[in-house]
Amino acid sequence: MLVMNFSTLLLVTAEGVATLTLNRPDVLNAFNADMRRELTSAFDEIEADSAVRAVILTASGRGFCAGQDLRERMSLYEAGQAPVLGETLRHEYNPLILAMRRLPKPIVGAINGVAAGAGCSLALACDLRVASEQATFLQAFVRIGLVPDSGSSFFLPRLIGMARAAEMMFLAEPVPAARALELGLVNRVVPPDQLMSTAGELALKLARLPTRAIGQAKRQINLALSAGLEAVLDEEADGQAMASQTRDHMEGVRAFLAKRPPEFTGT
Ligand code: LHQ
């Protein structure tokens, strides 16, 4: 087991699964500059580590992530130093969201509590979401006169449809976990004490699958969210050319013919 300590998060790697835990519980894991920077570099490290084949993103305490740390922002305003928000997004939040979507490994969000503002966007950028019964999803932006950012306007209408996304974004009312499941916003809802075991089982299952094929399937999903059929068919053909060269493909076929379970290595 490998443990890496950052100042705002924990990264533990075991059995092919990296578990990233946001760790600013006193402010419901709101994003300060350190957390934005550390989270992006943690995803870079996960990408580079071939032993990691699946990721869990969760948080400590009763919240998942309350979005931008508003105290940090206010103190910058008061000091007359706040960069234009667009620049903070372009240089800090957007690279984080892109790092998650480009990571060729599956990310399971284990949503333990409220996911608000950019924290909701962070949850939406995961590939799969397991939510605690205590989780809520809140497009908090308009409550403080801002607009959805960090990918929420991309992911939310695609996940739940335009009308429901508009309702969440405009009214900024919390959506409880049970309703999020009905909307297709999360994959599973479980009692709080089963959150980490459920997410862990799911991530372990993913970590034992043909990792390169999963990474390519994620790429195809990303493309299909905004490209047309021809481009997606083309990407599938390129992806299949790649996947057919992997050891895991050969192992899958051999195991099927020998009527035994496959042992995928991610290569
Ligand atoms: C917080 C925060 C927080 C600091 C709770 N900051 N302390 C914006 C700007 C710049 C660039 C890019 O993008 C963005 C995007 C955004 O993310 S905008 C949206 C920012 N987030 C929000 O507006 C959410 C603010 N928080 C809330 O509305 C509530 O805290 C929620 C609904 C999340 C949870 O409510 P409660 O369960 O009632 O908890 P609480 O409000 O009592 O919070 C607990 C503590 O956490 C409290 O501190 P305290 O010292 O009183 O115990 C809060 O001040 C602190 N906290 N969110 N974002």
Side-chain angles (χ1 to χ4, degrees):
M1 187 167 85
L2 182 66
V3 180
M4 289 191 64
N5 269 319
F6 295 88
S7 67
T8 63
L9 45 97
L10 304 166
L11 172 56
V12 176
T13 303
E15 294 185 85
V17 176
T19 301
L20 262 170
T21 306
L22 310 180
N23 197 23
R24 304 188 72 223
D26 294 349
V27 289
L28 307 180
N29 305 299
F31 273 112
N32 64 4
D34 285 344
M35 199 169 94
R36 293 192 286 274
R37 196 169 35 244
E38 290 187 346
L39 197 50
T40 308
S41 60
F43 279 111
D44 289 345
E45 284 178 29
I46 286 170
E47 167 141 33
D49 185 349
S50 60
V52 174
R53 295 169 64 189
V55 183
I56 297 175
L57 177 60
T58 191
S60 58
R62 70 176 178 89
F64 175 69
C65 175
Q68 166 67 34
D69 185 323
L70 297 176
R71 230 169 248 121
E72 171 187 74
R73 179 116 315 250
M74 190 48 89
S75 52
L76 287 171
Y77 282 138
E78 283 166 0
Q81 296 171 348
V84 180
L85 291 196
E87 293 306 298
T88 311
L89 286 169
R90 285 199 174 89
H91 297 302
E92 299 178 30
Y93 285 87
N94 295 1
L96 166 62
I97 299 300
L98 288 171
M100 291 173 69
R101 294 311 310 157
R102 287 176 181 155
L103 183 74
K105 305 175 186 185
I107 304 173
V108 177
I111 316 300
N112 51 303
V114 62
C120 186
S121 308
L122 185 70
L124 301 181
C126 297
D127 296 290
L128 301 164
R129 277 160 292 283
V130 179
S132 150
E133 285 166 353
Q134 289 172 352
T136 54
F137 295 83
L138 173 61
Q139 287 283 304
F141 308 92
V142 296
R143 286 190 179 185
I144 54 165
L146 292 181
V147 299
D149 66 22
S150 308
S152 268
S153 11
F154 184 85
F155 299 118
L156 202 55
R158 285 166 173 80
L159 274 165
I160 66 173
M162 272 170 66
R164 287 158 164 174
E167 189 173 335
M168 276 186 75
M169 289 173 178
F170 298 169
L171 299 183
E173 288 167 355
V175 172
R179 177 68 181 146
L181 186 64
E182 286 171 5
L183 292 174
L185 198 55
V186 299
N187 298 79
R188 291 176 202 177
V189 176
V190 296
D193 61 349
Q194 290 170 27
L195 179 70
M196 290 317 290
S197 58
T198 307
E201 276 167 30
L202 190 55
L204 206 54
K205 195 181 275 186
L206 289 161
R208 289 177 179 157
L209 291 173
T211 306
R212 294 186 61 198
I214 301 282
Q216 176 62 26
K218 175 167 174 174
R219 205 179 146 95
Q220 291 170 196
I221 290 173
N222 282 340
L223 185 70
L225 291 174
S226 49
L229 178 60
E230 279 184 32
V232 174
L233 286 170
D234 216 37
E235 179 65 30
E236 286 178 347
D238 286 349
Q240 209 63 293
M242 179 281 293
S244 64
Q245 304 292 315
T246 61
R247 286 190 198 153
D248 282 343
H249 168 55
M250 203 47 70
E251 165 63 9
V253 175
R254 284 204 179 106
F256 172 77
L257 295 175
K259 299 190 188 294
R260 63 167 172 81
E263 278 185 39
F264 296 120
T265 56
T267 55

